Amino acid sequence: RPRVLSGIQPTAGSFHLGNYLGAVRQWVALQQTHDAFYMVVDLHAITVPQDPKELRANTRLAAAQLLAAGLDPDRCTLFVQSHVPEHAQLGWVMNCLTGFGEASRMTQFKDKSSKQGTDSTTVGLFTYPILQVADILLYQANAVPVGEDQRQHLELTRDLANRFNTRYAPTFTVPDPYIVKETAKIVDLQEPTIKMSKSASSPKGIVNLLDEPKASAKKIKSAVTDADTVIRFDEKEKPGVSNLLTIYCALTGTGITELEQAYEGKGYGALKTDLAERFVEWVTPFRERTHEYLGDPETLDAVLAKGAQKARAVAAETLAAAYENIGLLPAK
Ligand code: AQP
């Protein structure tokens, strides 16, 4: 079976709708057809300051949400990044293979650091895409299911895999991005030209899955649309309405054309009210399941321990090959 790998940060506590529709939903589907490795990337989270207690709690919370979303530990390997030390080890090797200019061209870093200023931006945030390269290459992943915002980092991964393989010896599988076009960029409800994001969205623009469903329903109902009244999918002219249609379609399985027909002659209010209802129907059991998993931390930790063990077996083998091919002297 081809292999997939992906990760999600435990930073904000709750996942948002963009994380779920852009990435996690695909993870759930791919565990049926692929040898799937999924992780909570806590080492990425510490590129910005974290409260230690909160970070620990959020790491478990992220794992609980992934299980609640439908990951099945018998069908995939679910683990915490820092439980597999090979990530940091191969990360260093990849740092030594990356050009400074090359790393400087990562647009996500440029965006984030320009907002924070250089003094409060860490070197970790600068090199985080390179750690991500190591995350992926360690598992010889064929495909990486992510949102559109990760495309450039996937290109870097491919470049570094090829560079290593050519400079030393064939060692790494060169992975392909797995980006589902329809849901690759869920946009902010208030500013439908930017992606829904925990760092850039205002509270009214972001739908957090663990918030009170009623509060999220309210946000959906007050989503920014346009001055027109026609419900039509057109990302350029009608980004707000198109986003609502995309979310509706993803949560219910109804096709976009079908939705356009169903809402012909009806106003935006009808679409928003119905979508808010569908969302509440979907998110209520998701929240309940998350709290159930959280209520049993022993079982949760056991799932993560088993996952780390399976992940380490693969990661250790790849790291050993990489060390060998670079010429590091093996320890006796
Ligand atoms: N708006 C989005 N639409 C589609 N996919 C998205 N992803 C994130 N936002 C959207 C995808 O979610 C996965 C997990 O992302 P992450 O753990 O890296 O979280 P993130 O990118 O830090 O999430 P944010 O909200 O986008 O955080 P900031 O604001 O810090 O950048 C990834 O596959 C990502 O593509």
Side-chain angles (χ1 to χ4, degrees):
R1 301 219 289 183
R3 188 171 282 165
V4 288
L5 172 123
S6 199
I8 188 156
Q9 298 200 48
T11 22
S14 176
F15 294 167
H16 61 70
L17 203 48
N19 298 141
Y20 175 70
L21 295 179
V24 176
R25 213 166 75 103
Q26 278 64 258
W27 298 11
V28 175
L30 288 167
Q31 65 181 345
Q32 309 295 345
T33 49
H34 287 65
D35 182 18
F37 285 76
Y38 301 127
M39 58 182 173
V40 180
V41 289
D42 54 349
L43 295 176
H44 288 288
I46 61 169
T47 55
V48 294
Q50 298 291 335
D51 173 79
K53 258 199 200 137
E54 266 177 40
L55 177 61
R56 251 188 302 275
N58 283 340
T59 301
R60 276 211 188 100
L61 183 56
Q65 289 174 89
L66 290 173
L67 294 169
L71 288 191
D72 174 355
D74 291 328
R75 289 197 167 268
C76 70
T77 304
L78 174 63
F79 63 102
V80 174
Q81 185 187 27
S82 66
H83 293 178
V84 181
E86 284 80 2
H87 289 260
Q89 291 174 291
L90 187 65
W92 177 253
V93 173
M94 291 298 149
N95 267 303
C96 298
L97 218 67
T98 312
F100 185 79
E102 191 175 30
S104 310
R105 285 193 289 275
M106 295 298 122
T107 54
Q108 228 188 55
F109 174 77
K110 285 199 270 189
D111 289 350
K112 288 189 181 176
S113 59
S114 68
K115 275 182 213 145
Q116 294 173 355
T118 39
D119 277 345
S120 46
T121 300
T122 66
V123 175
L125 189 67
F126 180 65
T127 59
Y128 121 79
I130 304 169
L131 179 58
Q132 198 179 312
V133 169
D135 296 340
I136 298 165
L137 298 185
L138 272 179
Y139 297 91
Q140 309 285 6
N142 304 95
V144 186
V146 284
E148 181 61 41
D149 57 340
Q150 292 295 331
R151 191 181 287 278
Q152 193 188 28
H153 296 164
L154 256 296
E155 265 316 304
L156 178 69
T157 309
R158 292 171 57 83
D159 288 348
L160 289 179
N162 280 319
R163 190 172 306 159
F164 190 105
N165 290 346
T166 316
R167 192 173 294 175
Y168 300 108
T171 310
F172 300 114
T173 303
V174 182
D176 286 314
Y178 182 96
I179 300 176
V180 175
K181 198 173 132 265
E182 289 77 10
T183 49
K185 187 181 172 189
I186 300 299
V187 295
D188 183 294
L189 294 184
Q190 289 298 316
E191 254 185 277
T193 47
I194 63 165
K195 73 163 187 169
M196 185 180 286
S197 125
K198 56 180 178 280
S199 59
S201 288
S202 66
K204 283 178 84 181
I206 185 167
V207 176
N208 287 312
L209 305 186
L210 296 180
D211 283 357
E212 258 316 306
K214 267 193 199 149
S216 300
K218 203 169 155 199
K219 290 184 196 178
I220 293 172
K221 286 188 208 163
S222 44
V224 165
T225 43
D226 51 63
D228 190 25
T229 54
V230 184
I231 294 174
R232 177 168 52 85
F233 187 86
D234 181 340
E235 279 174 315
K236 275 221 173 75
E237 299 297 325
K238 302 166 86 62
V241 174
S242 302
N243 194 41
L244 296 178
L245 288 170
T246 298
I247 297 170
Y248 201 130
C249 170
L251 288 182
T252 63
T254 321
I256 297 273
T257 322
E258 226 177 298
L259 286 175
E260 286 174 340
Q261 282 164 1
Y263 284 96
E264 208 181 316
K266 296 186 184 166
Y268 292 161
L271 174 69
K272 289 181 188 174
T273 307
D274 291 351
L275 174 59
E277 244 174 61
R278 296 291 94 75
F279 174 76
V280 171
E281 277 164 19
W282 172 80
V283 87
T284 303
F286 169 84
R287 289 175 84 231
E288 282 166 11
R289 285 195 298 272
T290 301
H291 291 301
E292 273 166 34
Y293 285 114
L294 270 186
D296 185 1
E298 283 83 33
T299 306
L300 198 56
D301 289 354
V303 165
L304 296 173
K306 197 171 152 218
Q309 207 182 6
K310 275 163 74 188
R312 271 203 91 171
V314 179
E317 197 181 320
T318 309
L319 182 75
Y323 272 19
E324 160 92 23
N325 290 339
I326 286 190
L328 299 177
L329 181 68
K332 285 285 176 226

